[in-house]
Amino acid sequence: MPSPTGDPFLLTPGPLTTAPETKQAMLHDWGSRDAGFIETNARVRSRIVAIANATDSHVCVPVQGSGTFAVEATLGTLIPRHGKSLLLINGAYGHRMAKILDITGRDYQILETPEDTPPNPDDVDVILAGNNDISHVIMVHCETTSGILNPVEEIATVVANRGRALIIDAMSAFGAIELDVKKIPFEAAMASSNKCLEGVPGMGFAIISKLALEKAKGNSHSLSLDLYDQWQVMEKTSQWRFTPPTHVICAFDRALDLYEAEGGLAGRGGRYRDNCRILVEGMAEMGFKTLLPENLQAPIIVTFHMPADPNFDFQSFYNKLKDKDYVIYPGKLTVADSFRMGCIGQLGETEMKGALQAVRETLSEMGVTTGTPA
Ligand SMILES: *Cc1c(COP(=O)(O)O)cnc(C)c1O
């Protein structure tokens, strides 16, 4: 059962299935100095900051590229060249930030937990108490590697009490899981156009404290990833430095209309929680087991253990689901053999039930009687 455009449904962590209206919003050309485009850009930026309830204290600084560009730009802009960070890792996106800090030459200490285990806020407190040279704590909100929800509020409290700054990779959670700066104080949070806000891929952004940005001049190792400079130019001229992804921004504005029409954070988060529940329950009926217990599972992407049945072969499972118009995602775990199915994007009950039906038919075609893992 294909989508209205005939494209398969993407049950992945991105790129994601987008609404027809969002795709249609790209059927024009805009000049970067076009007044209509400048207005759209300003509107997108202010809507994003409002989602974090940060209008009075923070600004949205967008950057061309995928989400990782925004992560690298933010770390390079905000962490002074001789600054030191504490990086919390429990998956591939945490490791990616370690690589960024290595390449940009910023010193850091790691607190690593297994992929199915959130960081303990007490451990963070002990490390901060013993290391006055740590200025920033860096963490991932939802670690998309496993789908785990990290305790961002508890950690933010510890970090604030110790007078340090928090940087959150909120990429896969922003817009669906609450990130209210009044409850979760952060210096910066990064996300992109193409995750829970359901725009098309092509731009990332950071929501950054104005006070922190004012102090960030000259920190960046990079010209194109310098968010201080991007911010300054955008404030002064209302324009992007370098060619803006015009179509992506106009599609994003439309996607934000749909977000608001759906009821914002409550509506979007509610739909994803329903998607997640339908998926987990339906897969459990076929014997599949999730990596994470319910209390650690974010309603973003679900990791399932590989079935033990000798007839099960992941590549042919993947191909047969794709033939039925559902695209899933391989696992990225080191702790267990697994695959993932996403709950985000322009998908609802019908699509989740369609995906379950496709899994059921595929298992039967493969001669697999149960999804139960070893
Ligand atoms: C998707 C994602 C990113 C960015 O990945 P890109 O492929 O560069 O868009 C970063 N962090 C997390 C947690 C993500 O889910």
Side-chain angles (χ1 to χ4, degrees):
M1 185 210 40
S3 65
T5 45
D7 303 320
F9 294 106
L10 304 174
L11 282 78
T12 67
L16 299 169
T17 298
T18 57
E21 296 91 324
T22 300
K23 289 186 266 285
Q24 272 153 17
M26 292 186 286
L27 299 179
H28 300 277
D29 298 310
W30 296 266
S32 59
R33 291 160 179 266
D34 177 305
F37 170 70
I38 284 177
E39 203 178 292
T40 301
N41 187 56
R43 185 167 56 240
V44 166
R45 288 179 66 212
S46 67
R47 289 166 118 178
I48 288 169
V49 180
I51 294 170
N53 193 22
T55 304
D56 48 355
S57 55
H58 289 55
V59 287
C60 169
V61 189
V63 66
Q64 298 91 332
S66 82
T68 304
F69 290 62
V71 173
E72 184 163 355
T74 305
L75 298 184
T77 301
L78 294 180
I79 300 169
R81 294 194 188 193
H82 299 291
K84 185 176 171 191
S85 324
L86 172 64
L87 173 61
L88 314 185
I89 298 182
N90 59 350
Y93 292 98
H95 283 292
R96 188 177 294 176
M97 290 200 282
K99 204 165 175 184
I100 291 170
L101 294 172
D102 283 336
I103 290 171
T104 55
R106 303 301 200 271
D107 192 15
Y108 62 99
Q109 185 171 331
I110 288 175
L111 174 63
E112 184 166 7
T113 48
E115 287 152 336
D116 56 359
T117 309
N120 183 340
D122 295 337
D123 293 344
V124 175
D125 195 45
V126 168
I127 294 173
L128 293 182
N131 294 274
N132 284 327
D133 56 340
I134 292 176
S135 57
H136 288 78
V137 175
I138 309 171
M139 70 178 296
V140 181
H141 193 175
C142 165
E143 212 348 312
T144 322
T145 311
S146 62
I148 197 169
L149 186 62
N150 283 323
V152 71
E153 187 163 355
E154 291 84 341
I155 287 171
T157 304
V158 164
V159 173
N161 286 343
R162 292 273 171 206
R164 317 300 167 87
L166 181 64
I167 299 180
I168 306 167
D169 172 355
M171 203 69 57
S172 61
F174 188 71
I177 300 174
E178 188 177 53
L179 189 66
D180 180 332
V181 77
K182 307 287 188 294
K183 295 182 201 161
I184 302 169
F186 62 80
E187 180 169 292
M190 300 78 85
S192 79
S193 51
N194 184 240
K195 295 222 174 169
C196 302
L197 295 174
E198 300 186 0
V200 304
M203 65 173 267
F205 57 84
I207 300 162
I208 309 180
S209 143
K210 277 183 248 181
L211 292 176
L213 262 181
E214 280 158 9
K215 287 186 282 183
K217 185 176 182 174
N219 279 347
S220 185
H221 58 293
S222 161
L223 172 67
S224 54
L225 296 178
D226 184 349
L227 295 187
Y228 173 83
D229 205 38
Q230 179 86 313
W231 172 59
Q232 283 290 302
V233 170
M234 213 171 269
E235 292 298 317
K236 287 187 188 126
T237 69
S238 305
Q239 290 171 31
W240 289 54
R241 288 178 317 159
F242 321 138
T243 304
T246 44
H247 296 68
V248 174
I249 294 159
C250 292
F252 200 11
D253 189 45
R254 191 73 188 98
L256 288 167
D257 290 341
L258 301 177
Y259 179 72
E260 280 163 21
E262 191 176 359
L265 187 90
R268 184 64 48 92
R271 173 159 60 82
Y272 290 173
R273 280 191 294 278
D274 287 345
N275 286 351
C276 186
R277 185 181 37 76
I278 292 166
L279 179 66
V280 169
E281 286 175 7
M283 292 293 279
E285 277 171 26
M286 291 178 253
F288 287 95
K289 263 191 77 80
T290 60
L291 172 79
L292 298 170
E294 206 181 323
N295 64 320
L296 295 180
Q297 176 70 60
I300 303 295
I301 191 162
V302 183
T303 299
F304 294 100
H305 288 284
M306 279 304 179
D309 192 309
N311 288 339
F312 187 87
D313 168 66
F314 179 73
Q315 197 53 51
S316 81
F317 181 65
Y318 178 95
N319 292 341
K320 285 172 188 294
L321 287 175
K322 170 82 202 297
D323 292 342
K324 297 177 181 65
D325 288 319
Y326 295 93
V327 176
I328 64 166
Y329 219 62
K332 209 176 188 175
L333 291 186
T334 52
V335 294
D337 197 15
S338 61
F339 66 91
R340 291 177 288 174
M341 294 175 80
C343 320
I344 63 178
Q346 203 35 220
L347 308 168
E349 185 177 348
T350 308
E351 291 74 32
M352 299 320 283
K353 289 190 169 159
L356 289 168
Q357 182 57 26
V359 170
R360 218 171 278 120
E361 287 168 16
T362 298
L363 290 182
S364 143
E365 289 163 24
M366 293 171 78
V368 173
T369 49
T370 168
T372 309

